[in-house]
Amino acid sequence: MSPDVPPHRVALRLALATTLALVWGTMAGEPLPGLTAVLTAQILVGMPRPPRLGQAAALVGVILATGGVAFAVASTFSDRPLILAAALGLLFYLGFSMRERAASEPSLPATMLLNFTAVVPVLTFQAEMLGAGVLETLVTSAVRAMLVVWLLHAALPVRSEETAIRAATPAKAEPVPDNTGTAHTLAKVAIVLPAQFYYLAEPTALAFPALLGLVTFLSAQDPAAGRMQLVILLLGNLIGSVAAALASGVLDIGPQLPALTFMTLLGSLAFAKWIMSARRRPGGAVALTGLVTFLTLFGLAAAPHAFEVPVLDRIMDIAILSLYTVAATTLLLPPHGSPEPTTSKRRLAGHAGRQAPDLEQLSPAGAGTAGSANHG
């Protein structure tokens, strides 16, 4: 068996699933079709096998609970910005802490908590523009995403070689010292909160892709990767936004359903292959951020409600946020100077690194592995 077969199969499953999710959400009149596609991608990369019925029900419950908490906080303290900032900061801190403590294990609850803490307050402020209830949108998107995941696992079942690859994951690193872990987590909160409050003060449809991309990157951020990761972040977000702009142009001139299907599949497949080819290098985590950017921006173009945002503005907004992320990360999350964490990380990943990549390690749910190993 060729070691390249499982990665290609995983990439194909991811691309087909996100395409079906975006097309279904659009045809069903979902106000934010990209949300179903992003949830589908996160479930696929966070769960190695198709979820059982109990797991699916629990995940929908987690989505409803985390989205409900974020909605309650945003609604209750919308006119008290200081209290709102403290409450949202606490939710972000909890989400990033859960992610880092998960180590090599998936943590979809942490992923969903971060996602919805980032976007639900903004969506709450823009509920009239969306024309739908926030919690209703979240639950509907989650159910659609779960059905798509089941369908794609039925069409492309997990093979034994994929299971063997996932079994060869690195051992967990040593626990992170409390003071270092707390400072690292607080720094991430300090990066995401100003961006969120900017979009609360200046409501725009671009808040959805921008904030999702930001929390996705911070979840997968690897301190040992240094500035190269930040350069790739700029590239990944630029490629994602340009790809979405090109796909939107095709959507404007071609028949909607064929153009939507073809361009989503083309873009998703390109990013899925990039994720798999990058493996555990910094480009893998950034490719996932690029995929999120592409799906959410293209989803806005396909949404039933017209979001009057010029193409150039979409690209510029994502580029400015990327520059902010680079500057804030360089200032608050500098790369470790000591060579010891990198050496330790190489030892931990030595065996698994010689095998085909595990997509789970590049997901936001698995991002805790990198963070723990680097602080270990």
Side-chain angles (χ1 to χ4, degrees):
M1 180 205 66
S2 169
D4 291 331
V5 173
H8 289 167
R9 189 179 180 86
V10 174
L12 180 61
R13 187 187 298 129
L14 176 61
L16 290 173
T18 52
T19 300
L20 177 58
L22 188 59
V23 170
W24 187 7
T26 302
M27 294 297 101
E30 186 178 303
L32 292 171
L35 181 59
T36 297
V38 169
L39 291 178
T40 300
Q42 291 176 333
I43 293 170
L44 275 175
V45 301
M47 303 186 80
R49 288 187 171 276
R52 297 187 295 273
L53 186 60
Q55 289 177 310
L59 181 58
V60 173
V62 166
I63 290 173
L64 181 59
T66 54
V69 169
F71 178 75
V73 166
S75 301
T76 304
F77 303 117
S78 59
D79 57 344
R80 286 169 281 184
L82 291 180
I83 299 178
L84 180 61
L88 293 177
L90 182 61
L91 292 177
F92 278 125
Y93 181 85
L94 179 61
F96 284 125
S97 297
M98 289 168 61
R99 179 68 50 72
E100 295 194 3
R101 287 192 177 92
S104 60
E105 297 298 321
S107 182
L108 281 174
T111 300
M112 299 307 161
L113 178 58
L114 287 172
N115 283 352
F116 298 140
T117 302
V119 302
V120 166
V122 178
L123 296 181
T124 302
F125 279 47
Q126 301 182 40
E128 291 184 7
M129 181 178 67
L130 292 175
V134 174
L135 294 182
E136 177 189 351
T137 300
L138 296 181
V139 174
T140 304
S141 299
V143 172
R144 284 200 184 100
M146 194 62 64
L147 292 174
V148 170
V149 168
W150 275 331
L151 180 61
L152 263 294
H153 272 297
L156 293 171
V158 176
R159 289 180 174 176
S160 57
E161 55 264 33
E162 291 183 56
T163 306
I165 291 169
R166 288 187 170 93
T169 53
K172 288 185 181 181
E174 294 296 318
V176 179
D178 287 342
N179 57 343
T180 304
T182 299
H184 188 76
T185 304
L186 286 174
K188 291 184 176 182
V189 175
I191 292 172
V192 73
L193 268 182
Q196 185 181 46
F197 269 78
Y198 169 78
Y199 286 113
L200 287 174
E202 299 288 339
T204 170
L206 294 174
F208 174 52
L211 292 174
L212 270 184
L214 178 59
V215 296
T216 298
F217 172 73
L218 290 176
S219 299
Q221 187 260 351
D222 181 0
R227 290 180 175 81
M228 178 55 68
Q229 179 176 224
L230 301 178
V231 173
I232 301 175
L233 170 67
L234 287 172
L235 178 63
N237 270 340
L238 179 63
I239 292 174
S241 55
V242 170
L246 293 175
S248 301
V250 174
L251 189 64
D252 289 339
I253 62 175
Q256 185 182 33
L257 184 57
L260 177 66
T261 304
F262 176 73
M263 295 308 296
T264 306
L265 180 59
L266 187 65
S268 297
L269 192 57
F271 279 105
K273 285 185 175 181
W274 182 12
I275 291 171
M276 298 312 301
S277 64
R279 303 192 178 191
R280 291 181 180 84
R281 297 193 301 272
V286 173
L288 184 61
T289 306
L291 176 61
V292 169
T293 300
F294 168 74
L295 291 173
T296 50
L297 281 177
F298 191 37
L300 291 180
H305 299 275
F307 295 100
E308 300 298 333
V309 183
V311 171
L312 185 58
D313 286 0
R314 300 176 197 175
I315 297 175
M316 287 300 298
D317 195 84
I318 296 298
I320 291 171
L321 184 73
S322 299
L323 289 172
Y324 164 77
T325 306
V326 168
T329 303
T330 302
L331 179 64
L332 299 176
L333 293 173
H336 293 306
S338 170
E340 234 177 279
T342 304
T343 305
S344 173
K345 181 182 176 183
R346 285 173 181 164
R347 284 200 200 101
L348 288 173
H351 176 63
R354 290 190 292 270
Q355 305 200 29
D358 179 6
L359 185 58
E360 181 180 318
Q361 296 298 316
L362 300 176
S363 71
T369 304
S372 297
N374 289 321
H375 286 291

